[in-house]
Amino acid sequence: MNIQAYIESGIIESYVLGLADADESAELEMLCRQHPEIQAALTNFETQIEKQAFNNAIAPPPELKDRLMDMLEQDFKEQNDSKKIPPPIVEMNNIQNAGTRQSSFWRYFAAASVILLIGSAALNLYLYNNYNDTAARYEALLAERNNLQASNGVFQTRLNGLEESFRIIQNPQVLAVKLPGVNGHTENIAAVYWDSQTKDVYLMPTKMDKAPEGKQYQLWAIVDGKPVDAGMVEDCNGLCKMKNISKAQAFAITLEDKGGSPAPHLEALYVYGNVNG
Amino acid sequence: MQDSKKYTEAELVSLLKERQQPVFSYLYDNYSGALFSVINAIIPDKDTAGDVLQEVFVKIWKQSATYDATKGRLFTWMMNIARNASIDMLRSKNYQHNAQNRELTGNVYEQVGTTVTNIDQIGLRKLVHTLKSEQKVLVELSYFEGYTQDEISKMLNIPLGTVKTRLRAALLQLRELVKN
């Protein structure tokens, strides 16, 4: 391979700046191991970008470092364990004899304890009931919130699909082809949106009979009088993206067995429309 | 700087994996300014850029074991973490919402008393702005806004192959600018 041409291809710069895709990166990493010149060119550009970033360094907000140090405190490893402070030794006072008043004091103390215990048990019971009630209500709220979130997600997906469809239809370079129903299927109608630049084909099954079990609609592009498969009509949100068609004079939809046919069954033709007409 | 000792890159990489506090302090003191300029070139708002820098250092610290020295220099690895985090921020709903609010109250760069920087004047972005416009727009969209080449091809209505070759040419031009 031409190493010099590879170095001058711009791939090294893409890689360093994080713009290379996975294949390009893997190739570069492999070539670096085989060719020291490529490795040198890589290190050279990395060093220059690094120097550039350092020359243009901007001081971050000063309080940030302390905030980070606090955040990561749990994560820092102890440098050594020998710093542990021994627990202090506390001398006990001599226990003095309290004399004869002691026994009556303990009697009152025991009675007070029993009363407190009963009071505390009652309070516990009351608080426990309250807690159960709140927990149940919290669970209910949580379930409700999850439901709302899920339906919000569904709506968002639908909205995104419709917005995307709307954007395609609005695009001035997209050609609209109406496909009215043919004899026997006049109540059906569909439209094809054909991007004249990218040649992407989108289908809007505006009003099509529901396909019977085991059957599926198939879109055909008519190219110089011959039908070309343009993809199966799936159940889509807004526009269905079909196969890319570079050239066509007309589009048609037939009802075929599920999975499609190599050639259309003309007796099962539903809608048909000429491009530019 | 608390520690005047300079580590070589290899020393720093092996110390990072020991996860001691002084190493983190050293890393921050040495690299925060350069990484902040990488972030600030994408996120003009200084406070938000500070939040991103914080997130970036936490990532660097927690993911240091995944750094592979055979794939590139330490700074390249950190710079890519910083760029990815900045673009994630740029794409976040919250940030876009705030950006819309800023637009409603007037031109971002002309507001008095805010800490919003003119990003065209920061670091690499300043150099990119001296490229010719057909190259500039590609580097802007891909590097600073994080669009894929496929997305750019659709946005600008240019074939994917052309996007690729023009972007590569722009990066080679940028390499020469970085050298000087």
mmCIF file of all heavy atoms in Angstrom, chain B residues 76-94:
data_model
loop_
_atom_site.group_PDB
_atom_site.id
_atom_site.type_symbol
_atom_site.label_atom_id
_atom_site.label_comp_id
_atom_site.label_asym_id
_atom_site.label_seq_id
_atom_site.Cartn_x
_atom_site.Cartn_y
_atom_site.Cartn_z
ATOM 1 N N THR B 76 -5.789 12.842 23.873
ATOM 2 C CA THR B 76 -6.750 12.566 22.799
ATOM 3 C C THR B 76 -7.977 11.864 23.367
ATOM 4 O O THR B 76 -9.111 12.200 23.042
ATOM 5 C CB THR B 76 -6.100 11.674 21.731
ATOM 6 O OG1 THR B 76 -4.879 12.284 21.328
ATOM 7 C CG2 THR B 76 -6.998 11.508 20.535
ATOM 8 N N TRP B 77 -7.724 10.915 24.259
ATOM 9 C CA TRP B 77 -8.817 10.165 24.898
ATOM 10 C C TRP B 77 -9.708 11.110 25.721
ATOM 11 O O TRP B 77 -10.924 11.099 25.591
ATOM 12 C CB TRP B 77 -8.195 9.073 25.782
ATOM 13 C CG TRP B 77 -9.166 8.196 26.500
ATOM 14 C CD1 TRP B 77 -9.965 7.236 25.953
ATOM 15 C CD2 TRP B 77 -9.442 8.196 27.904
ATOM 16 N NE1 TRP B 77 -10.714 6.636 26.937
ATOM 17 C CE2 TRP B 77 -10.413 7.197 28.137
ATOM 18 C CE3 TRP B 77 -8.952 8.923 28.993
ATOM 19 C CZ2 TRP B 77 -10.906 6.910 29.408
ATOM 20 C CZ3 TRP B 77 -9.441 8.636 30.264
ATOM 21 C CH2 TRP B 77 -10.405 7.655 30.465
ATOM 22 N N MET B 78 -9.056 11.967 26.507
ATOM 23 C CA MET B 78 -9.831 12.874 27.358
ATOM 24 C C MET B 78 -10.589 13.899 26.508
ATOM 25 O O MET B 78 -11.724 14.250 26.795
ATOM 26 C CB MET B 78 -8.893 13.589 28.336
ATOM 27 C CG MET B 78 -8.239 12.634 29.300
ATOM 28 S SD MET B 78 -7.463 13.453 30.721
ATOM 29 C CE MET B 78 -6.142 14.308 29.930
ATOM 30 N N MET B 79 -9.920 14.368 25.437
ATOM 31 C CA MET B 79 -10.538 15.368 24.562
ATOM 32 C C MET B 79 -11.810 14.797 23.902
ATOM 33 O O MET B 79 -12.816 15.486 23.776
ATOM 34 C CB MET B 79 -9.526 15.763 23.491
ATOM 35 C CG MET B 79 -10.042 16.752 22.465
ATOM 36 S SD MET B 79 -8.759 17.157 21.263
ATOM 37 C CE MET B 79 -8.822 15.728 20.194
ATOM 38 N N ASN B 80 -11.736 13.513 23.517
ATOM 39 C CA ASN B 80 -12.911 12.904 22.895
ATOM 40 C C ASN B 80 -14.042 12.710 23.899
ATOM 41 O O ASN B 80 -15.211 12.866 23.552
ATOM 42 C CB ASN B 80 -12.541 11.587 22.210
ATOM 43 C CG ASN B 80 -11.977 11.849 20.825
ATOM 44 O OD1 ASN B 80 -12.552 12.581 20.040
ATOM 45 N ND2 ASN B 80 -10.819 11.283 20.539
ATOM 46 N N ILE B 81 -13.685 12.392 25.161
ATOM 47 C CA ILE B 81 -14.726 12.309 26.204
ATOM 48 C C ILE B 81 -15.380 13.679 26.350
ATOM 49 O O ILE B 81 -16.611 13.806 26.424
ATOM 50 C CB ILE B 81 -14.115 11.850 27.541
ATOM 51 C CG1 ILE B 81 -13.672 10.394 27.424
ATOM 52 C CG2 ILE B 81 -15.123 12.012 28.681
ATOM 53 C CD1 ILE B 81 -13.048 9.837 28.681
ATOM 54 N N ALA B 82 -14.552 14.735 26.343
ATOM 55 C CA ALA B 82 -15.074 16.096 26.519
ATOM 56 C C ALA B 82 -15.970 16.485 25.346
ATOM 57 O O ALA B 82 -17.039 17.065 25.534
ATOM 58 C CB ALA B 82 -13.917 17.080 26.659
ATOM 59 N N ARG B 83 -15.542 16.152 24.130
ATOM 60 C CA ARG B 83 -16.356 16.524 22.959
ATOM 61 C C ARG B 83 -17.689 15.772 22.972
ATOM 62 O O ARG B 83 -18.746 16.350 22.764
ATOM 63 C CB ARG B 83 -15.597 16.209 21.672
ATOM 64 C CG ARG B 83 -16.467 16.417 20.455
ATOM 65 C CD ARG B 83 -15.757 16.161 19.141
ATOM 66 N NE ARG B 83 -16.732 16.106 18.080
ATOM 67 C CZ ARG B 83 -17.158 14.980 17.526
ATOM 68 N NH1 ARG B 83 -16.685 13.816 17.907
ATOM 69 N NH2 ARG B 83 -18.060 15.020 16.575
ATOM 70 N N ASN B 84 -17.631 14.454 23.264
ATOM 71 C CA ASN B 84 -18.874 13.677 23.273
ATOM 72 C C ASN B 84 -19.846 14.190 24.325
ATOM 73 O O ASN B 84 -21.041 14.314 24.062
ATOM 74 C CB ASN B 84 -18.572 12.195 23.513
ATOM 75 C CG ASN B 84 -17.890 11.575 22.315
ATOM 76 O OD1 ASN B 84 -17.986 12.090 21.202
ATOM 77 N ND2 ASN B 84 -17.167 10.493 22.520
ATOM 78 N N ALA B 85 -19.310 14.497 25.514
ATOM 79 C CA ALA B 85 -20.193 14.988 26.585
ATOM 80 C C ALA B 85 -20.792 16.331 26.187
ATOM 81 O O ALA B 85 -21.959 16.608 26.464
ATOM 82 C CB ALA B 85 -19.413 15.104 27.888
ATOM 83 N N SER B 86 -20.017 17.183 25.510
ATOM 84 C CA SER B 86 -20.522 18.501 25.105
ATOM 85 C C SER B 86 -21.638 18.343 24.077
ATOM 86 O O SER B 86 -22.652 19.034 24.136
ATOM 87 C CB SER B 86 -19.413 19.338 24.471
ATOM 88 O OG SER B 86 -18.319 19.423 25.325
ATOM 89 N N ILE B 87 -21.436 17.410 23.135
ATOM 90 C CA ILE B 87 -22.454 17.234 22.108
ATOM 91 C C ILE B 87 -23.714 16.621 22.703
ATOM 92 O O ILE B 87 -24.822 17.016 22.361
ATOM 93 C CB ILE B 87 -21.887 16.436 20.925
ATOM 94 C CG1 ILE B 87 -20.991 17.405 20.144
ATOM 95 C CG2 ILE B 87 -22.978 15.892 20.028
ATOM 96 C CD1 ILE B 87 -20.152 16.816 19.110
ATOM 97 N N ASP B 88 -23.533 15.708 23.676
ATOM 98 C CA ASP B 88 -24.712 15.177 24.375
ATOM 99 C C ASP B 88 -25.481 16.311 25.037
ATOM 100 O O ASP B 88 -26.708 16.347 25.003
ATOM 101 C CB ASP B 88 -24.302 14.152 25.444
ATOM 102 C CG ASP B 88 -23.881 12.840 24.816
ATOM 103 O OD1 ASP B 88 -24.147 12.671 23.603
ATOM 104 O OD2 ASP B 88 -23.283 12.011 25.509
ATOM 105 N N MET B 89 -24.743 17.250 25.635
ATOM 106 C CA MET B 89 -25.388 18.390 26.293
ATOM 107 C C MET B 89 -26.120 19.247 25.255
ATOM 108 O O MET B 89 -27.256 19.649 25.453
ATOM 109 C CB MET B 89 -24.329 19.197 27.048
ATOM 110 C CG MET B 89 -24.839 20.487 27.657
ATOM 111 S SD MET B 89 -26.182 20.263 28.862
ATOM 112 C CE MET B 89 -25.240 19.855 30.321
ATOM 113 N N LEU B 90 -25.438 19.479 24.136
ATOM 114 C CA LEU B 90 -26.006 20.307 23.056
ATOM 115 C C LEU B 90 -27.327 19.714 22.566
ATOM 116 O O LEU B 90 -28.259 20.420 22.216
ATOM 117 C CB LEU B 90 -25.001 20.327 21.905
ATOM 118 C CG LEU B 90 -25.070 21.424 20.863
ATOM 119 C CD1 LEU B 90 -24.777 22.752 21.525
ATOM 120 C CD2 LEU B 90 -24.032 21.166 19.769
ATOM 121 N N ARG B 91 -27.385 18.372 22.538
ATOM 122 C CA ARG B 91 -28.574 17.681 22.034
ATOM 123 C C ARG B 91 -29.661 17.538 23.090
ATOM 124 O O ARG B 91 -30.784 17.163 22.764
ATOM 125 C CB ARG B 91 -28.184 16.259 21.585
ATOM 126 C CG ARG B 91 -27.278 16.238 20.400
ATOM 127 C CD ARG B 91 -28.091 16.411 19.131
ATOM 128 N NE ARG B 91 -27.258 16.662 17.997
ATOM 129 C CZ ARG B 91 -26.768 15.721 17.215
ATOM 130 N NH1 ARG B 91 -27.015 14.475 17.472
ATOM 131 N NH2 ARG B 91 -26.028 16.043 16.180
ATOM 132 N N SER B 92 -29.326 17.746 24.382
ATOM 133 C CA SER B 92 -30.296 17.452 25.432
ATOM 134 C C SER B 92 -31.471 18.409 25.330
ATOM 135 O O SER B 92 -31.316 19.572 24.978
ATOM 136 C CB SER B 92 -29.640 17.524 26.802
ATOM 137 O OG SER B 92 -29.424 18.872 27.149
ATOM 138 N N LYS B 93 -32.652 17.910 25.660
ATOM 139 C CA LYS B 93 -33.893 18.689 25.567
ATOM 140 C C LYS B 93 -33.791 19.945 26.415
ATOM 141 O O LYS B 93 -34.163 21.030 26.003
ATOM 142 C CB LYS B 93 -35.055 17.834 26.074
ATOM 143 C CG LYS B 93 -35.443 16.744 25.079
ATOM 144 C CD LYS B 93 -36.933 16.778 24.800
ATOM 145 C CE LYS B 93 -37.273 16.084 23.505
ATOM 146 N NZ LYS B 93 -37.095 14.645 23.567
ATOM 147 N N ASN B 94 -33.260 19.753 27.635
ATOM 148 C CA ASN B 94 -33.149 20.843 28.581
ATOM 149 C C ASN B 94 -32.331 22.002 28.027
ATOM 150 O O ASN B 94 -32.714 23.163 28.098
ATOM 151 C CB ASN B 94 -32.449 20.281 29.824
ATOM 152 C CG ASN B 94 -32.969 20.963 31.065
ATOM 153 O OD1 ASN B 94 -33.752 21.915 30.961
ATOM 154 N ND2 ASN B 94 -32.539 20.496 32.204
#
